[in-house]
Amino acid sequence: MSFTLRQITKRAAGGEIVRKKTFAEGPLRIGRGTDCEIRVPDLAVSIHHATLSQEGLGRLRIEATGAQPFGVGGRFTRSAVVRIADIPELSFGDHLLTIGPGQGDEIILTLTRVEAAPGQGEPATPASLIPRARILGKRRLAWTGFTLIALLCLIL
């Protein structure tokens, strides 16, 4: 049994980049670490998050190796056995791993990043926590603050 990993990333211009890797046999490690076969670049994913291995004919076992669970079919669990024919979707952080049958005894693993739906904001970043005023932009606000502090130091 062989595994083919298709990692799909989106370009800023709107196109897709597809990277393929083939693994002769399992088990495959899933995580953020550089030694993992399925590398998920997300801080919500542990260094070694889970292990994917064959469990009989046409079935795979996914076991969480750390303290964090993973998602299977909309619910979070630490262990799951899935049928390849059902084309299950596993979630790790904001990434989705879809498992599907390939040619012969090949298993296709597709890793994509889940985009936020329109209307749902991204999580607050430090830059977005500064209120936007129409009169003062961030740069003007910074220079104004610097000037006030410098004047206060000169007065003292």
Side-chain angles (χ1 to χ4, degrees), residues 38-140:
I38 302 173
R39 188 169 184 277
V40 183
D42 185 1
L43 292 176
V45 177
S46 299
I47 300 292
H48 296 120
H49 199 96
T51 303
L52 184 131
S53 59
Q54 186 177 4
E55 171 88 10
L57 195 59
R59 296 175 9 175
L60 293 176
R61 173 174 290 280
I62 302 97
E63 292 279 338
T65 55
Q68 297 177 340
F70 56 90
V72 179
R75 62 180 181 86
F76 287 96
T77 184
R78 296 192 35 76
S79 177
V81 176
V82 295
R83 288 186 37 198
I84 299 168
D86 294 340
I87 308 176
E89 293 181 339
L90 310 173
S91 61
F92 297 94
D94 62 355
H95 286 74
L96 193 66
L97 181 67
T98 307
I99 302 171
Q103 297 177 353
D105 65 347
E106 179 185 33
I107 297 173
I108 306 291
L109 306 169
T110 305
L111 183 67
T112 56
R113 183 172 187 257
V114 178
E115 299 294 327
Q120 293 181 350
E122 294 275 331
T125 58
S128 68
L129 293 176
I130 299 173
R132 290 188 174 204
R134 294 182 185 247
I135 297 171
L136 289 177
K138 292 179 193 173
R139 186 174 298 238
R140 285 188 183 169

Side-chain angles (χ1 to χ4, degrees), residues 14-29:
E16 289 184 344
I17 301 170
V18 179
R19 294 180 181 93
K20 288 186 178 183
K21 291 182 189 175
T22 303
F23 304 101
E25 58 185 43
L28 301 178
R29 291 172 295 195

